[in-house]
Amino acid sequence: GQQLNQSPQSMFIQEGEDVSMNCTSSSIFNTWLWYKQEPGEGPVLLIALYKAGELTSNGRLTAQFGITRKDSFLNISASIPSDVGIYFCAALYNNNDMRFGAGTRLTVKP
Amino acid sequence: DAGVIQSPRHEVTEMGQEVTLRCKPISGHDYLFWYRQTMMRGLELLIYFNNNVPIDDSGMPEDRFSAKMPNASFSTLKIQPSEPRDSAVYFCASSLGGLRIHKNIQYFGAGTRLSVL
């Protein structure tokens, strides 16, 4: 079940703006993941983080694994219309127990 | 690799009918997961298999739901009889599995959108 607190729930931004979203938990996790879900599709993995403090980039996306291992953030720089979708954080508690955030719905206005 | 393949993509049925959702995991993946996604509850894990064996079905909502994995390349999720509250998007995901954490990342199919009228 969902034990990750993801915020914000939704964002309406102008094209070109930067975006920041985060996930927190009361539990420690070994892996943090960020997925993107576009309308009518399944979640697609964007970034995986394996070590506390790790900062990883994927194009305009940057994510960090919090030093306490209880949080993670995702930043999107210079947003474009195709960034629209729902972004989910996920964390692996043990090898087969993945928890999800409720998602951040991103709308980008051209 | 074609990724996780689910069928059908959309299913509309009437209350009381049997519904069968299908999933083909990524070849070589030992773990298969079934999720349900709704606006109210988000993504919920229903059941997962390891090497075709059900490991945890504690998320299956009721006896009306059943899942099978007869071989490494095929799984079904069945709802009988279906009810309007079962309307949701059902996702299948698979992972390699193993001691290294990166092997436990799950990859999702495109989902089946189920509407029970």
Side-chain angles (χ1 to χ4, degrees):
Chain A
Q2 286 169 199
Q3 295 183 0
L4 305 182
N5 302 307
Q6 186 171 350
S7 64
Q9 270 190 312
S10 60
M11 301 184 75
F12 296 83
I13 62 167
Q14 206 73 40
E15 182 177 0
E17 289 183 1
D18 296 344
V19 172
S20 186
M21 59 191 79
N22 69 80
C23 248
T24 61
S25 172
S26 57
S27 304
I28 291 173
F29 290 96
N30 295 320
T31 300
W32 283 90
L33 308 164
W34 287 92
Y35 289 85
K36 178 187 179 187
Q37 184 178 11
E38 297 189 2
E41 299 296 328
V44 174
L45 183 67
L46 297 174
I47 290 180
L49 303 154
Y50 302 108
K51 285 167 50 175
E54 179 181 354
L55 186 72
T56 296
S57 292
N58 178 5
R60 293 177 296 104
L61 276 59
T62 302
Q64 185 160 30
F65 189 146
I67 198 72
T68 64
R69 295 168 62 194
K70 294 181 179 181
D71 62 343
S72 177
F73 73 75
L74 174 70
N75 288 340
I76 305 173
S77 63
S79 59
I80 59 177
S82 62
D83 290 333
V84 163
I86 303 175
Y87 292 79
F88 289 98
C89 62
L92 276 167
Y93 182 70
N94 58 40
N95 283 354
N96 301 305
D97 189 354
M98 184 176 285
R99 311 298 172 90
F100 290 89
T104 295
R105 186 180 295 272
L106 179 63
T107 302
V108 180
K109 293 178 281 188
Chain B
D1 198 315
V4 177
I5 299 173
Q6 291 186 245
S7 65
R9 291 295 311 273
H10 303 274
E11 177 81 40
V12 181
T13 190
E14 290 187 346
M15 182 173 64
Q17 296 297 306
E18 178 179 293
V19 174
T20 300
L21 312 181
R22 297 172 176 80
C23 176
K24 180 181 183 342
I26 294 172
S27 176
H29 280 196
D30 289 337
Y31 286 82
L32 183 140
F33 305 81
W34 282 101
Y35 289 89
R36 178 171 65 178
Q37 185 181 44
T38 60
M39 288 291 289
M40 290 295 292
R41 300 172 69 93
L43 271 167
E44 300 174 276
L45 177 65
L46 300 177
I47 185 172
Y48 79 89
F49 296 81
N50 178 23
N51 292 322
N52 315 337
V53 176
I55 302 300
D56 184 355
D57 64 354
S58 59
M60 296 285 261
E62 297 170 38
D63 291 345
R64 298 183 296 107
F65 286 70
S66 62
K68 293 182 180 178
M69 192 164 185
N71 58 61
S73 58
F74 183 64
S75 176
T76 59
L77 178 67
K78 190 174 291 187
I79 309 172
Q80 165 64 16
S82 58
E83 297 183 3
R85 61 194 168 115
D86 301 331
S87 298
V89 182
Y90 290 82
F91 288 106
C92 176
S94 70
S95 68
L96 265 172
L99 291 176
R100 292 192 174 257
I101 197 76
H102 74 276
K103 292 190 174 182
N104 295 290
I105 292 174
Q106 296 176 26
Y107 296 88
F108 286 78
T112 295
R113 182 174 294 277
L114 173 65
S115 297
V116 183
L117 306 177

